[in-house]
Amino acid sequence: MSRIVIEKQANQNIINSIYKIALDYTGDYFTINLPEDTKNDLVFQHVMYLECNNDIASFIIFTCWDGSPHITLMATQRESCGKGYGKELMKHFVIYLTELGFNRIELFTVPPDTKPIYKNTVAFYERMGFEIEKVYSQLWETGALKMIKTW
Ligand SMILES: CC(C)(COP(=O)(O)OP(=O)(O)OC[C@H]1O[C@@H](n2cnc3c(N)ncnc32)[C@H](O)[C@@H]1OP(=O)(O)O)[C@@H](O)C(=O)NCCC(=O)NCCS
């Protein structure tokens, strides 16, 4: 049994669940400070998540920045990857934004050139219709890719 939830102000249970998922990705994907940073982001930003058996399977933390919806962080619980949860969540995110009158999403991710594991992430976003708009070599220690999806 699954459902999609949007929280404009995540409660402590949701924050803790997201923190745990993020912590599980530190080391290979996420930097050591990311889980704590995400807690701070959630004080101001919204979250959409796909809940499966009362557990967060996949989440998107987002805001609006310079007039465009912006994904700050997305992740699927490690053991649930590859089951279509991220795709399902992205589908609902696009529907939600369309209903609000938007036709665009932006995000920053890590270039696979500097962190090869991010080939997976970029492949996922490309599959979801995102394109690389620009490379920022001076952003973060790894450099950053700006990816955009429009419809
Ligand atoms: C990236 C991530 C959110 C994808 O979520 P997911 O739930 O595993 O993705 P799904 O199972 O819904 O896959 C959706 C589609 O992307 C494709 N895809 C996913 N990973 C892929 C990969 N490594 N290579 C090629 N295609 C991939 C799937 O094949 C699927 O395609 P389909 O349309 O043919 O079904 C998840 O793997 C994750 O949390 N990764 C680690 C954290 C991370 O990188 N977050 C982003 C930070 S910017």
Side-chain angles (χ1 to χ4, degrees):
M1 165 92 181
S2 70
R3 65 179 184 132
I4 299 283
V5 182
I6 298 170
E7 295 286 354
K8 295 202 168 169
Q9 185 65 69
N11 66 32
Q12 205 52 50
N13 282 344
I14 295 165
I15 293 173
N16 290 344
S17 299
I18 288 174
Y19 181 86
K20 261 177 63 188
I21 296 171
L23 200 60
D24 202 29
Y25 280 113
T26 58
D28 53 358
Y29 279 90
F30 298 159
T31 53
I32 199 80
N33 53 309
L34 184 135
E36 285 298 329
D37 290 352
T38 298
K39 278 188 179 175
N40 291 342
D41 290 347
L42 282 167
V43 175
F44 292 97
Q45 301 189 16
H46 302 338
V47 61
M48 178 184 267
Y49 60 89
L50 189 152
E51 189 182 73
C52 219
N53 301 322
N54 292 323
D55 213 9
I56 293 181
S58 188
F59 68 83
I60 292 175
I61 298 173
F62 63 99
T63 187
C64 195
W65 187 13
D66 285 345
S68 174
H70 178 94
I71 295 178
T72 310
L73 188 69
M74 174 171 191
T76 294
Q77 219 179 38
R78 208 182 256 276
E79 57 271 29
S80 300
C81 278
K83 294 183 177 173
Y85 292 136
K87 181 177 177 176
E88 180 70 9
L89 183 59
M90 188 64 78
K91 185 182 91 185
H92 285 276
F93 188 49
V94 168
I95 292 170
Y96 173 68
L97 295 178
T98 304
E99 284 171 358
L100 291 175
F102 293 102
N103 63 352
R104 171 189 177 93
I105 306 169
E106 299 183 355
L107 60 87
F108 286 102
T109 192
V110 175
D113 290 355
T114 52
K115 212 166 180 184
I117 201 161
Y118 273 85
K119 272 193 194 126
N120 298 314
T121 308
V122 172
F124 166 77
Y125 284 130
E126 284 179 338
R127 189 84 182 111
M128 296 300 104
F130 285 78
E131 290 176 356
I132 295 170
E133 196 213 39
K134 200 165 174 180
V135 182
Y136 292 87
S137 53
Q138 301 298 313
L139 194 61
W140 303 335
E141 296 136 44
T142 51
L145 292 183
K146 184 176 184 180
M147 299 189 77
I148 294 193
K149 175 183 169 75
T150 53
W151 63 93

